[in-house]
Amino acid sequence: MLNVGAGKGSYEDATDGLPFADGAFDAALALLGVHQWGDVTAGLREMRRVARGPVAVLTCDPAMVRDFWLYAYSPEVLETEARRHPPVDEILTALGGTGTVDAVPIPLDCTDGFNEAYYGRPELLLDPAARQACPAWSFVDDGARERFDRALRHDLASGAWDERFGHLRTQPTYRGSLVLVRAVP
């Protein structure tokens, strides 16, 4: 299986053509990285070209980003996040074939550092280190981060957050914007 992702030692931009023959792999996978490619469509077409079987892309559905409670406290962060990711229908079109999109359930105790991982543990997002793990926070100014911090602290102390979103504290999983896009030829 070919894993096309982001990070050191990976093929970050498939737009120049992957160095593999047509159908060289049984399947191909991209994990949370397509939004970093220079030409997403070309990269996905290359994945399809080299995979004779399914292609899977774990990504964020930008159409669903704003549905998360964080939008009430920091719309700037989630607007930034939504702009960073390609629309799911564009991913499906580029992959061709027959496609499906499935929400990926996020467990309450998720330890990954993306915003929705804290869906039922809002206090953790008050830690600047937790926010730093999610790149969208680095694209907003200090004022936006300070407003978020003040507003969330206030609502946690007053109980307002729990009145609106407290059910999430015991919800075993959350289905948000994290999706698995799969396409077969």
Side-chain angles (χ1 to χ4, degrees):
M1 175 175 24
L2 172 66
N3 180 356
V4 181
K8 186 176 179 179
S10 68
Y11 194 84
E12 293 184 10
D13 193 347
T15 61
D16 294 332
L18 292 169
F20 305 107
D22 293 359
F25 298 91
D26 292 332
L29 171 69
L31 296 174
L32 297 171
V34 296
H35 64 282
Q36 297 174 3
W37 296 353
D39 185 336
V40 174
T41 299
L44 293 168
R45 287 183 180 153
E46 275 298 286
M47 288 179 69
R48 166 51 56 220
R49 181 186 66 78
V50 301
R52 57 184 169 271
V55 174
V57 177
L58 183 66
T59 190
C60 175
D61 183 344
M64 299 176 68
V65 168
R66 295 170 194 88
D67 296 340
F68 184 48
W69 65 258
L70 181 57
Y71 195 77
Y73 295 91
S74 189
E76 304 93 335
V77 168
L78 293 187
E79 290 294 340
T80 299
E81 193 68 28
R83 284 191 304 272
R84 294 178 65 226
H85 294 273
V88 169
D89 61 340
E90 288 182 19
I91 294 172
L92 286 167
T93 299
L95 293 176
T98 303
T100 60
V101 179
D102 295 303
V104 175
I106 302 162
L108 183 58
D109 62 352
C110 182
T111 58
D112 199 326
F114 63 101
N115 288 320
E116 290 176 347
Y118 305 111
Y119 73 88
R121 300 168 297 155
E123 295 83 2
L124 294 179
L125 275 176
L126 292 172
D127 179 355
R131 291 193 306 263
Q132 190 175 22
C134 183
W137 286 95
S138 67
F139 296 117
V140 299
D141 63 27
D142 289 341
R145 287 188 290 275
E146 290 166 9
R147 283 188 302 278
F148 159 78
D149 192 86
R150 269 193 317 274
L152 183 57
R153 284 184 193 282
H154 174 271
D155 282 6
L156 288 169
S158 72
W161 188 92
D162 282 292
E163 285 177 29
R164 290 180 69 190
F165 308 111
H167 65 281
L168 296 172
R169 291 189 183 278
T170 58
Q171 187 172 301
T173 61
Y174 178 76
R175 292 181 186 269
S177 64
L178 188 62
V179 294
L180 182 63
V181 180
R182 291 179 288 188
V184 293

